[in-house]
Amino acid sequence: MAAPQPQPQPAATRAANNGIGGGAMADHNQQGTEARRAAKWVLFLAAAALPCLVLYRAVAPRAILVLPGGAAVPWRLGAPREGVDLDGEDARLERVLRGAAMANDTVILTTLNSAWSEPGSVLDVFLESFRSGESTRELLDHLVIVSLDTTAHTRCRQVHLHCFALVTDGVDFSGQKNFMTDGYLKMMWRRIDFLGQVLEKGFSFIFTDTDIVWFRNPLPHFYADGDFQIACDHFTGDPNDLNNSPNGGFAYVRSNTETIEFYRFWYAAREKHPGLHDQDVLNSIKGDPFVAELGVKIKFLSTELFGGLCEPSRNMSRVCTMHANCCIGLSRKISDLNAMLQDWRRFMALPREEKHSVSWTVPRNCSLQKLER
C-alpha cells in the first residue's frame, strides 16, 4: 500500500505561508516537504505495526523456561515473573505430571511413606515387578511416586526419576499406618483429594497401591467405555454389577467432567460417613442417584486379570497385577509379595507347554480372612 502523497500548493500560497521568497523559499519549501513526508511515513508505519503487535502477543507460542535441575515448564513470552511461584506445590505437580505423562496424558501414580520406602521394603518389590514383568519395564517412565513425607521423598529420588512430595500440614504420614487407624484414614482421604486434583489438571491416571506387583501391561485390558474402572476384593463376574466389592488400591480413571465431579462428591461424602475409609464410602455412594445423574460410567475389573490375596487370579497366563490385600502387617506383606515374584519368575522360566502347571504359592504369611468392616 503506497503512502499518502502531499497535495501541491500554488507557489504564492507557499511563499505567503513561509514568509520567504525567491531561491531561499524554494530550498526551504523542499526541506519542509521532505520533513512532512517522513513524518507521515512514521505515522503510517506505526498505525500498521500496532495491530500486528497486538495480534502477535495474543497468539505468540509459549516459550520454555528451563529451571535449575533441567526441569522445563511452559512460559509465555514477555510474561512477568511477579506473583508466580515456580516452586509452589501446584507448579511442581504440573511439571512432574507433564514429565511422566504418556502421549494421551495418562500417568501411573502410587503413594509412599517412609515405612514402605526403606531398602528391602515394599517399594523395592514393587519396582522390581515392573522390571520382571512382561512389557512393563517401559511403564516405569510414566510412574510418579507421590511421597507423603520427606524420608520417602529422599528414598524415591535415589531410585526413581519421577517423584513428587505431597505435603500435608500438621499430619505425620511417615510411620506404618495400620488398617482403620486414625492415621490410616487421614492418609486415604488425602489420597482421594490428591487424585481429584490430578483429574482437574487434565491428566488421566492408573492408581496403584505400592503393595501391588505388576506382571503385564494393564492398558489393553481396560474397558473402552469406562470412565472410572476399579479392581475388586470380590468380583461377581459382571463388570457393570454394583454389587461388586471395589478395592481402591488399583483404579484407572479418565479425566473428564464426570470423573472430576465424581471425585469431588466422593471426597465430600466423607463428612456424612465419619470414621469410614474411602473404600467403604465408595461402596455407599456407588449407587447414589447423584452418581447416576452425573453419568460417570463405572466398571469393575475382573480378579482374573487384577487379582489379590482376597481373591487370587486363577490364570497366570493372563494376570496383570496381584495385590497383597486382605493382609495386615508390613512384614507379612513383604513376604508374600516376594513370594508372588518368585512364582512369576518360575512361571516365566518354564517352556510354554509346562506353564499351565504353575500356580500361586501365596498366601503364606497373610491371612485370607476378610476384615470386619
Side-chain angles (χ1 to χ4, degrees):
M1 177 179 177
Q5 299 295 321
Q7 297 298 317
Q9 293 179 305
T13 302
R14 293 196 303 270
N17 289 339
N18 290 316
I20 51 178
M25 179 190 72
D27 292 339
H28 191 274
N29 178 69
Q30 180 65 28
Q31 293 173 1
T33 299
E34 292 175 356
R36 287 192 297 274
R37 183 181 292 119
K40 289 183 178 182
W41 265 107
V42 170
L43 291 173
F44 171 76
L45 292 174
L50 182 60
C52 295
L53 178 61
V54 172
L55 180 61
Y56 171 77
R57 291 298 299 274
V59 302
R62 295 170 74 88
I64 297 297
L65 175 67
V66 179
L67 301 175
V73 293
W75 191 262
R76 186 171 293 281
L77 290 172
R81 293 175 62 97
E82 290 76 16
V84 178
D85 183 6
L86 294 177
D87 293 321
E89 182 174 286
D90 192 68
R92 288 189 296 106
L93 177 58
E94 184 80 29
R95 293 198 299 271
V96 173
L97 293 175
R98 184 61 58 197
M102 304 175 195
N104 63 352
D105 285 340
T106 299
V107 293
I108 303 170
L109 301 171
T110 193
T111 52
L112 182 71
N113 70 353
S114 62
W116 285 26
S117 66
E118 296 175 359
S121 190
V122 175
L123 176 62
D124 286 353
V125 185
F126 176 72
L127 295 177
E128 180 57 29
S129 73
F130 280 84
R131 302 184 190 105
S132 303
E134 197 173 82
S135 301
T136 53
R137 180 181 289 268
E138 57 269 27
L139 295 178
L140 286 172
D141 294 336
H142 307 293
L143 169 68
V144 176
I145 297 177
V146 181
S147 307
L148 301 176
D149 58 73
T150 55
T151 300
H153 188 59
T154 299
R155 171 70 171 150
C156 176
R157 296 184 67 179
Q158 292 171 351
V159 298
H160 189 62
L161 177 61
H162 305 297
C163 303
F164 178 73
L166 182 63
V167 178
T168 304
D169 293 336
V171 181
D172 179 16
F173 288 141
S174 60
Q176 181 179 341
K177 304 302 178 201
N178 289 328
F179 185 70
M180 293 306 294
T181 61
D182 183 62
Y184 174 88
L185 293 175
K186 288 180 179 178
M187 190 162 61
M188 293 301 100
W189 284 115
R190 183 66 178 102
R191 184 175 79 183
I192 295 300
D193 184 40
F194 172 76
L195 294 176
Q197 293 175 38
V198 173
L199 294 174
E200 290 175 7
K201 287 184 171 295
F203 292 90
S204 303
F205 62 77
I206 303 171
F207 177 80
T208 172
D209 273 347
T210 320
D211 61 342
I212 292 178
V213 283
W214 284 50
F215 300 124
R216 290 184 176 88
N217 185 342
L219 285 166
H221 302 284
F222 294 137
Y223 296 99
D225 60 342
D227 297 319
F228 174 82
Q229 306 182 38
I230 189 166
C232 298
D233 285 338
H234 171 65
F235 182 64
T236 66
D238 180 358
N240 300 303
D241 185 3
L242 291 178
N243 290 316
N244 282 299
S245 301
N247 185 296
F250 188 92
Y252 171 54
V253 188
R254 291 189 173 95
S255 175
N256 55 37
T257 302
E258 292 80 9
T259 57
I260 290 170
E261 289 301 320
F262 176 67
Y263 265 78
R264 288 174 180 167
F265 179 65
W266 187 1
Y267 184 70
R270 79 195 190 284
E271 302 288 350
K272 294 183 178 181
H273 303 278
L276 296 184
H277 63 79
D278 59 308
Q279 192 169 298
D280 280 341
V281 174
L282 174 61
N283 262 322
S284 297
I285 68 170
K286 63 188 179 185
D288 192 284
F290 180 73
V291 174
E293 184 181 334
L294 280 177
V296 60
K297 296 176 182 176
I298 300 175
K299 293 283 189 179
F300 298 92
L301 300 171
S302 168
T303 50
E304 181 180 30
L305 295 170
F306 304 93
L309 296 183
C310 295
E311 193 167 281
S313 168
R314 296 180 297 274
N315 191 343
M316 292 185 71
S317 295
R318 296 196 64 204
V319 65
C320 293
T321 63
M322 279 279 286
H323 190 180
N325 52 7
C326 291
C327 182
I328 297 178
L330 180 56
S331 61
R332 292 187 179 94
K333 280 183 180 287
I334 296 171
S335 174
D336 277 23
L337 287 168
N338 276 312
M340 291 180 204
L341 270 183
Q342 292 171 5
D343 292 340
W344 172 256
R345 292 191 181 106
R346 186 161 51 91
F347 170 81
M348 293 297 290
L350 288 174
R352 182 188 299 269
E353 62 273 12
E354 296 182 26
K355 288 185 183 294
H356 67 278
S357 63
V358 180
S359 60
W360 301 110
T361 64
V362 291
R364 294 181 184 177
N365 293 296
C366 290
S367 171
L368 282 178
Q369 182 179 2
K370 294 289 184 178
L371 298 171
E372 292 292 331
R373 297 181 179 176

